[in-house]
Amino acid sequence: MSGGAARFDLPEVDDFSRTYWDAAAEGRLLLRRCGAAGCGRVHHYPREFCPYCWSEDVRWEEASGRATLYTWSVVHRNDLPPFGERTPYVAAVVDLVEGPRMMSEVVEWGEGKGGGELSVGMGLEVVFREADGFAVPVFRART
C-alpha cells in the first residue's frame, strides 16, 4: 500500500494469497478445489486445506466468474476510508456457479449507474476494481 491515509478496502497479501491476488490483477478469479478422493469440493475464501474434509491436497482453479445474487444490503453510510466516498454501495453475498458463496459488492446498479433493480437469484459476472495496485473482485449484472 502506498503512503497516505489508511484504507480498509485492500488485502494484506502473504505468500499463500499472492497467487490469488496476482490472478485478480490479470482479471481472473481463482478458487480452491480439493483433490482428495471422495471430496473434490470447491471452496472460497482460499485456504491451504479443504474445509470439508481437512485434506491438504488442494489446488488453485480458475472460476467462470458467473454468479447469482444471494442477498445484499445498500450501505448509505460508512465512515471507514474510502467507503464513505462510494456511498451508496451494495454489499452483497453471491453464489458462484462453482458452488461457493462469496462476500463482495455489486457495482453498476440502480438508476443512473447503468443497472436496474436488484433481485435474489439475478445473474452476475465478476469484474475487477483497481485500487492502489490491487484488483479486487466485484460483481455486476450479467449481460
Side-chain angles (χ1 to χ4, degrees):
M1 183 156 81
S2 65
R7 291 186 63 147
F8 295 90
D9 63 335
L10 300 176
E12 291 185 25
V13 178
D14 58 22
D15 288 340
F16 172 72
S17 66
R18 187 166 316 284
T19 301
Y20 179 85
W21 295 110
D22 287 349
E26 298 169 356
R28 299 182 301 122
L29 176 64
L30 295 185
L31 303 173
R32 298 282 280 175
R33 181 176 296 277
C34 180
C39 185
R41 293 178 72 179
V42 179
H43 62 271
H44 186 80
Y45 67 93
R47 286 163 266 201
E48 296 184 59
F49 62 90
C50 175
Y52 303 106
C53 74
W54 300 99
S55 171
E56 293 180 3
D57 180 13
V58 289
R59 59 190 169 277
W60 293 105
E61 177 177 291
E62 188 169 346
S64 67
R66 294 184 358 252
T68 57
L69 184 59
Y70 176 74
T71 190
W72 76 94
S73 179
V74 179
V75 178
H76 293 276
R77 181 178 175 149
N78 187 334
D79 294 330
L80 295 175
F83 297 105
E85 301 165 6
R86 295 184 192 154
T87 58
Y89 64 89
V90 177
V93 177
V94 303
D95 287 330
L96 301 171
V97 297
E98 291 82 4
R101 192 163 275 167
M102 177 179 176
M103 292 182 66
S104 187
E105 184 178 337
V106 174
V107 296
E108 301 174 19
W109 64 278
E111 200 171 311
K113 294 194 178 186
E117 291 298 314
L118 300 174
S119 62
V120 170
M122 71 183 286
L124 302 171
E125 63 187 5
V126 72
V127 292
F128 293 85
R129 179 192 356 256
E130 297 291 325
D132 205 19
F134 288 97
V136 178
V138 295
F139 290 82
R140 68 178 176 203
R142 194 167 35 220
T143 54

